[in-house]
Amino acid sequence: MRPFEYQRCDTVTDARQAGAGGSRFIAGGTNLLDLMKLQIETPQDLADINRIGLDTIDETDEGGLRIGALVRNSDCAADARILRDYPVLARAILAGASGQLRNRATTGGNLCQRTRCSYFYDTAMPCNKREPGTGCGARGGQNRNMAVLGTSEHCIATYPGDMAVAMYALDATVEIQAADGGTRLLPVRQFHRLPGDTPERDNELDEGELITAVLLPKPVGGKHGYRKARDRASYAFALVSLASVVEVSDGKIARADLAFGSLGTRPWHDPRLEQLLVGEEPSKALFEKAADTLLAEAKGFGGNDFKIPLARRMLIATLADATGLNAAGEPA
Amino acid sequence: MTETRTMDRPDRRNILDEAAQGVIGTPMDRPEGKLKVSGTATYAHEYNLPGTAFGVLVRATVPSGRLAHVNETSVADIEGILGVYSDERFLRNPAQGGANEAPVQGTDIDYFGQAVALVVAETFEAARDGATRIQLRLDADDDGVFDPASSPPEAQPDEAVDQGDLSAAMADAAHSIDVTYTTPGHNSAAMEPHCSVAEWQDGNLILRGSYQMLKYNRNEIADAIGIDPAKVRILSPYVGGGFGSKLGIAPEAVAAAIAAKALNRPVCVALTRQQVFENVMRRSESKQRVRLAADKDGKLSGLGHEAWVSNLPEESFAEPVLQATHFLYGGDSRKLDLYLHRVNRICAGSVRAPGEAIGMQILENAMDELAHEAGIDPVELRIRNIPDMHPEKDIPYTSRKMEEALRTGAEAFGWDKRPAKPATRREGEWLVGMGMATAARINMLQASEARVTLKADGTAIVETDMTDIGTGTYSILTQIAAEMLGLPSERVTTILGDTDLPPAAGSGGSWGAASSGSSVFVACEEIRERIAERLDCKPDELTLKDGQAICGNRSTPLADLLDSDICVEGRIESGKLSQKVQSATYGAHFAEVAVNAVTGETRVRRMLGVFGCGRILNEKTARSQCIGGMTWGMGIALHEDLMFDLRDGHLTNRDLAEYHVPVNLDVPQQDVIFIDERDGESSPIQAKGIGELGICGAAAAITNAIFNATGVRVRDYPATLDKIIAEMA
Amino acid sequence: MKTKLIINGQDRALDADPRVTLLDALRNHLGLPGAKKGCDHGQCGACTVIVNGRRVNSCLTLACMHDGDAVTTIEGIGMADDLDPLQQAFVRHDGYQCGYCTPGQICSARAMLDEAEAGWPSFVSEEMDGAIDLSQLSDEEISERMSGNICRCSAYSNIVDAIREIAHEKQGASA
């Protein structure tokens, strides 16, 4: 870990000024310090924003919720309103990490979580995300954890988190404060970037910008679920995860908000699925078509080929379960 | 004086059963438990000696070549840097267990991640920063071998058996199996990263380290740095797990000693978790082919087991995969071969139950395949193949509770409820099945010494350089001495982990309890004789209980009887008997698993282990050893997998987030049953090893259960979900 | 960097490099080596301590970020001559072997029981309505909630035995 200047911010204004001055924000620190110890992140100035507030969950005028950026994952997942109206989000958060980490990790920080790609994590390895221009070590190497959607020739790493996947399904909005004090709103589905030829940029935050909140829209009905396939029963990153909010009305699918984790280079929401499913009668054939659509452009790199059939199985099973079909894909 | 006992003949006197204190075998709480649960047991890193400097090792980032230059000026401007060390005495890799001499040393690089330099600073933070910024010039060679299969296999003649005609047996068999499995590398991943604090005093090296076998470690480090072993003292009273990874002196100890000498102050070097993965012994990956030929009743006529493993150049250790195959099952025609590939990867060495952990795993998968093929119950198949005599050496076995374990386990587990036909039990999204496997592990008695002092005040002290790596040594040595001397266990103090004390067998190979326990027993027997002398009675008429010496109708408090301490050193040695009999421990594993029909994820629902390990010295710590081993079996069955990049041999999953050891939720409640056993041919205390048996075969019980649940036979470990859904409808 | 911490009820002053983690501050600067370093990256839980009532990985937070915070370490839960019932349960059930992960397990378990009592659900909770009866806390719930603490000796089922005993008693005591 390189030496850095540490500054404690007491207000959002302090934080904005620190951001304008080029400081990196540290909140929970569970990812940033991890990376700093390995000299993967080397900030010269660190602005501690743990005491600037932004740590409450409030109702919005639109009937949704505003989750402050510094609300800890634990608090978010234990909030009665979240549990009642957005269980997909609580489940996703609880599927991630451990009790200890969730007690530190924050809403804003979690959105900015960096990849778990082992080539990113090893400074002796080529990695375009860590060091642009050095190449991608994962392509021809061990790539079990890598993405099958949204990859580029420069990077095939996933966004590894869980919370954001549920936020994609819920079509949440990220509230961002610029270093000059202006505020902008960005749909979370546009927050993370595809790697393209700039894999070093994980998301759309500009330098000095601070996430101040995540806004959840008015609650919607339907069956909420978060399914996470992983190598061990707990405390493991997803191989593939699926956040779902599915509603059936009058025998037809009325809502199918779906997002996948660890499948793409960012949390993966494919609007074609909704178009294909909504208004249709649930059937196995329909779900298979949805899987075909989702995975039409999927490309494996050897070690991660299995994610394609895994995602397919999870999507079909989740839709069947949420719409009341049995295992054979018939109405139960 | 030293009382020496050589195990030339059985000891069936079972003196511990006749002793009156009644503490042996009981589930006594660990005497050091209060320290452990309050965080006050002192591990290597925690001495906080005044003036300690901190060192962090630096890795090679080429897989083959040499360290040409260390640019010390590249870290000179970091505040607090005290020095950068690299030296011809640096270890390439840890010493193998029991090496007793330094391993390969020098600045040649043979694997990616090898520790080649040490940065020392006033603070850990400065040293860590320096270790990532130091510029090294590494001259790379391009002759590295990264895929084991691409190097020619070296036959290991000591392991080879060619008996009868296996090909003919296979051709004539009513039922036969010829299967090839692969297992990946494993890391011990003990919770305490290796750490050494080196301090020099008057030309003597004091090393506070995390080590398992101190008498060897002392010689290894002395050899490595070129000093007389008498000038080395190692202290390891508490060791945060070993599992083989701390058997031999490791790179951090030598680096710390060199830096401490140069700086003339204590130097503390702890491996980072990533360095534990990169610098400490891995269990070799393996390819194993098993051939089984059986008659219509399942009785084996032929058995073949060939294995291919790997190691670094110059290392003689070849994972002894066939170790239990030699003696476990009959079959007149036998073909066993072990081959070693040379590869530029992390050094391969002992990881818990070297040999059997993966050898029994595959042998027991193959037996399950044979049972399925022949339509014979898997438990019954095994019982039918228990040989009368060692099938290769024609020597008898010592006490062997294999059949009892199999039958007891089947009964207790409800094995009769297992559907014989795979993939027939479904509960919602879960496919449920049962599997079993035999457990077996060789047993050894090693030379070991201990000093027992019965003090004039009627308390006792046991002293030895033996270690307790979580295995329960503090408990069992206390219990043996308490039982033999007739003292409540609170009046016995056991002091371990100091090379100034009599040299013990060390913790390794499951021999620690029986070997060091026997040395304490031998010393105590002599003390009993001396007490008997003072009472003028025969030793076998003497009863010691609750601090009283009782002979006939006389009862005398020990404190009254003794005017001075009685101090005896006991020594046990393996003897002629070991060549005349096959000593081993046996058991049976039973597992019930549920496999998710959608994702292929496996969850172990129940697991039972039944074990015969000779006398149980402490029922509580013995059970803990077993459940630990069984959990390791879950790990290697389901997710543990060292993943190397075949382009440069570097390890890609070198931390605990990516190398998946089992977590709490992976582990169901586990049951353990011990078969009552006394094995007087294995040790004077009729005990055998226990630390490794729990893992041997455990993984096979789980994957056999996966087959029963799903009909999918994963022959490429671990049985991760991708391999299961690939075969599942 | 000057930092004031309230550790196990006592005011402690620390003046250290801002890079010093809370874990290294405890172990190397404040003479409290009870919290252990197993991975230094939040992947094992051996460093678990309780900050302002919540369990955290002390390796993944800087000491200077905790000015004024109340920190409870294993030494504050109970010393060898005055063990807390939870510590005694670990001894009785052999909820450890080598002992290295143990302080983290115990700190984690202590705070975990508070979390459950407060009604926090876990990923394995069937119902997420914020009501949890500690006396009924299942083994699966305990295991999931304790999965951030790795025990390579694998005393897991004994650890669950120890925690279950305390959880079930705790409810009885408060009822």
Side-chain angles (χ1 to χ4, degrees), chain A residues 1-3 37-39 116 118-119 121-125 136-142 144-145 227-237 239 303 306 309-310 313-314 317 327, chain B residues 59 61 112 125 128-129 132-133 274 426 429 596-599 601 603 638-639 643-645 647-648 650 652 654-661 663 665-666 720-722 725 728-729:
Chain A
M1 193 186 292
R2 298 282 175 93
K37 287 179 182 186
L38 299 167
Q39 226 94 318
R116 286 296 313 177
S118 79
Y119 297 84
Y121 259 83
D122 188 337
T123 51
M125 291 295 131
C136 172
R139 267 182 170 266
Q142 288 286 356
R144 176 175 166 79
N145 297 342
R227 173 157 213 158
K228 180 174 179 179
R230 43 186 155 177
D231 276 330
R232 62 184 176 195
S234 186
Y235 205 15
F237 290 98
L239 293 168
F306 73 94
L310 178 61
R313 297 171 77 100
M314 288 170 68
Chain B
R59 71 202 277 238
T61 51
F112 203 108
E125 288 73 24
R128 177 178 58 192
D129 187 23
T132 46
R133 285 159 78 172
Q274 290 81 0
R426 183 170 179 139
E429 228 176 50
N596 190 283
V598 175
T599 61
E601 292 166 288
R603 300 285 177 258
L638 299 177
H639 35 68
M643 300 171 95
F644 293 92
D645 188 321
R647 297 168 300 185
D648 57 12
H650 92 273
T652 63
R654 56 196 186 108
D655 63 31
L656 291 171
E658 308 300 334
Y659 180 85
H660 293 120
V661 305
V663 297
L665 190 62
D666 289 305
T720 44
L721 59 83
D722 46 317
I725 59 170
M728 201 162 61

Side-chain angles (χ1 to χ4, degrees), chain A:
Chain A
M1 193 186 292
R2 298 282 175 93
F4 53 81
E5 289 296 323
Y6 171 83
Q7 176 195 351
R8 189 177 299 128
C9 302
D10 293 320
T11 64
V12 176
T13 308
D14 284 355
R16 192 178 72 229
Q17 286 165 354
S23 285
R24 282 292 296 276
F25 301 122
I26 184 165
T30 50
N31 191 204
L32 183 57
L33 286 172
D34 167 34
L35 294 167
M36 285 169 66
K37 287 179 182 186
L38 299 167
Q39 226 94 318
I40 294 165
E41 295 271 16
T42 54
Q44 293 185 346
D45 295 282
L46 216 51
D48 178 353
I49 56 170
N50 281 290
R51 292 159 203 250
I52 63 170
L54 304 178
D55 56 355
T56 57
I57 302 177
D58 303 300
E59 277 120 57
T60 63
D61 294 343
E62 292 73 34
L65 290 178
R66 181 180 189 276
I67 307 170
L70 286 153
V71 170
R72 308 286 161 179
N73 279 176
S74 296
D75 290 311
C76 189
D79 184 272
R81 295 159 295 181
I82 300 278
L83 290 169
R84 185 188 64 219
D85 297 331
Y86 309 93
V88 62
L89 178 58
R91 289 260 180 219
I93 290 172
L94 294 171
S98 66
Q100 291 94 312
L101 288 164
R102 295 192 295 268
N103 276 341
R104 289 296 298 166
T106 61
T107 307
N110 202 180
L111 279 178
C112 301
Q113 185 176 4
R114 307 212 68 189
T115 187
R116 286 296 313 177
C117 172
S118 79
Y119 297 84
F120 174 77
Y121 259 83
D122 188 337
T123 51
M125 291 295 131
C127 172
N128 290 321
K129 187 181 274 297
R130 191 187 65 247
E131 211 176 333
T134 53
C136 172
R139 267 182 170 266
Q142 288 286 356
N143 48 46
R144 176 175 166 79
N145 297 342
M146 303 302 151
V148 296
L149 287 169
T151 58
S152 76
E153 76 176 281
H154 303 290
C155 185
I156 61 173
T158 60
Y159 167 85
D162 295 291
M163 179 197 78
V165 181
M167 288 177 173
Y168 272 57
L170 291 168
D171 197 14
T173 301
V174 187
E175 183 188 277
I176 299 165
Q177 180 179 262
D180 66 7
T183 293
R184 64 179 176 127
L185 297 175
L186 185 66
V188 73
R189 291 172 182 172
Q190 293 168 27
F191 180 78
H192 297 96
R193 293 167 57 97
L194 291 171
D197 53 11
T198 53
E200 70 276 17
R201 284 197 65 187
D202 292 348
N203 57 52
E204 296 291 349
L205 283 182
D206 288 326
E207 198 169 313
E209 281 193 319
L210 176 69
I211 297 173
T212 47
V214 171
L215 308 172
L216 300 182
K218 205 168 102 181
V220 294
K223 188 160 181 176
H224 288 223
Y226 190 74
R227 173 157 213 158
K228 180 174 179 179
R230 43 186 155 177
D231 276 330
R232 62 184 176 195
S234 186
Y235 205 15
F237 290 98
L239 293 168
V240 173
S241 67
L242 169 53
S244 57
V245 182
V246 179
E247 190 172 9
V248 180
S249 176
D250 295 333
K252 297 217 166 97
I253 297 171
R255 172 177 300 278
D257 298 331
L258 305 162
F260 294 81
S262 295
L263 185 65
T265 48
R266 60 183 210 180
W268 203 257
H269 171 263
D270 186 336
R272 293 174 302 181
L273 298 187
E274 216 172 308
Q275 288 157 17
L276 193 143
L277 293 163
V278 171
E280 301 293 324
E281 272 181 37
S283 72
K284 195 171 182 210
L286 178 69
F287 301 159
E288 283 175 349
K289 201 169 156 196
D292 291 343
T293 303
L294 170 74
L295 298 161
E297 295 93 23
K299 175 177 163 24
F301 297 88
N304 65 346
D305 292 351
F306 73 94
K307 289 190 174 187
I308 298 170
L310 178 61
R312 181 181 187 83
R313 297 171 77 100
M314 288 170 68
L315 174 61
I316 292 170
T318 297
L319 289 171
D321 181 55
T323 58
L325 297 198
N326 66 16
E330 297 140 358

Side-chain angles (χ1 to χ4, degrees), chain B residues 227-520:
Chain B
I227 62 170
D228 181 347
K231 290 180 173 295
V232 177
R233 182 181 182 192
I234 302 180
L235 295 164
S236 301
Y238 294 99
V239 180
F243 317 112
S245 74
K246 295 167 182 172
L247 288 174
I249 209 81
E252 96 290 339
V254 171
I258 289 169
K261 181 88 171 174
L263 291 166
N264 193 29
R265 59 192 280 193
V267 172
C268 171
V269 183
L271 298 187
T272 65
R273 177 54 62 183
Q274 290 81 0
Q275 289 169 342
V276 172
F277 276 95
E278 283 193 331
N279 290 132
V280 173
M281 300 301 187
R282 67 183 164 96
R283 188 198 305 284
S284 175
E285 73 296 324
S286 75
K287 182 174 87 170
Q288 301 182 45
R289 179 189 185 199
V290 178
R291 282 176 286 175
L292 300 173
D295 67 15
K296 64 177 176 33
D297 298 323
K299 182 121 173 146
L300 290 172
S301 55
L303 188 161
H305 196 169
E306 297 150 273
W308 292 262
V309 298
S310 73
N311 210 340
L312 279 168
E314 299 166 83
E315 289 296 311
S316 60
F317 180 89
E319 176 84 15
V321 176
L322 314 175
Q323 204 151 253
T325 308
H326 287 297
F327 65 83
L328 187 61
Y329 295 122
D332 290 341
S333 291
R334 305 175 81 82
K335 183 95 175 78
L336 276 64
D337 284 297
L338 179 65
Y339 302 95
L340 180 63
H341 293 286
R342 297 296 176 183
V343 68
N344 293 92
R345 275 188 189 179
I346 299 157
C347 189
S350 293
V351 175
R352 199 173 192 175
E356 285 92 332
I358 55 172
M360 282 294 295
Q361 180 179 355
I362 304 310
L363 179 63
E364 290 301 292
N365 282 141
M367 286 295 277
D368 198 66
E369 296 212 33
L370 177 64
H372 184 71
E373 162 78 22
I376 297 170
D377 180 84
V379 174
E380 185 57 33
L381 178 71
R382 281 147 174 104
I383 291 171
R384 287 180 195 176
N385 284 292
I386 299 175
D388 296 331
M389 298 285 276
H390 191 302
E392 294 166 12
K393 296 180 183 166
D394 202 32
I395 56 174
Y397 297 88
T398 72
S399 175
R400 181 175 45 157
K401 298 292 185 188
M402 180 170 165
E403 183 174 348
E404 290 91 328
L406 287 162
R407 292 199 190 283
T408 303
E411 169 76 24
F413 196 72
W415 180 250
D416 58 343
K417 297 189 183 61
R418 166 185 175 267
K421 189 167 185 288
T424 51
R425 185 174 156 199
R426 183 170 179 139
E427 295 174 11
E429 228 176 50
W430 296 91
L431 305 169
V432 181
M434 290 188 201
M436 58 77 55
T438 301
R441 168 77 179 158
I442 53 159
N443 182 65
M444 293 162 278
L445 188 68
Q446 299 283 328
S448 201
E449 295 178 25
R451 179 165 61 231
V452 179
T453 306
L454 178 61
K455 299 183 63 112
D457 64 0
T459 62
I461 299 176
V462 177
E463 296 169 294
T464 164
D465 84 349
M466 183 61 193
T467 48
D468 186 333
I469 60 173
T471 39
T473 315
Y474 282 107
S475 303
I476 60 148
L477 298 189
T478 297
Q479 283 169 287
I480 291 167
E483 190 65 61
M484 290 295 288
L485 301 178
L487 297 173
S489 54
E490 309 82 62
R491 284 164 69 176
V492 178
T493 303
T494 297
I495 300 170
L496 304 177
D498 180 349
T499 51
D500 278 359
L501 302 176
S507 299
S510 292
W511 58 59
S515 303
S516 70
S518 291
S519 69
V520 171

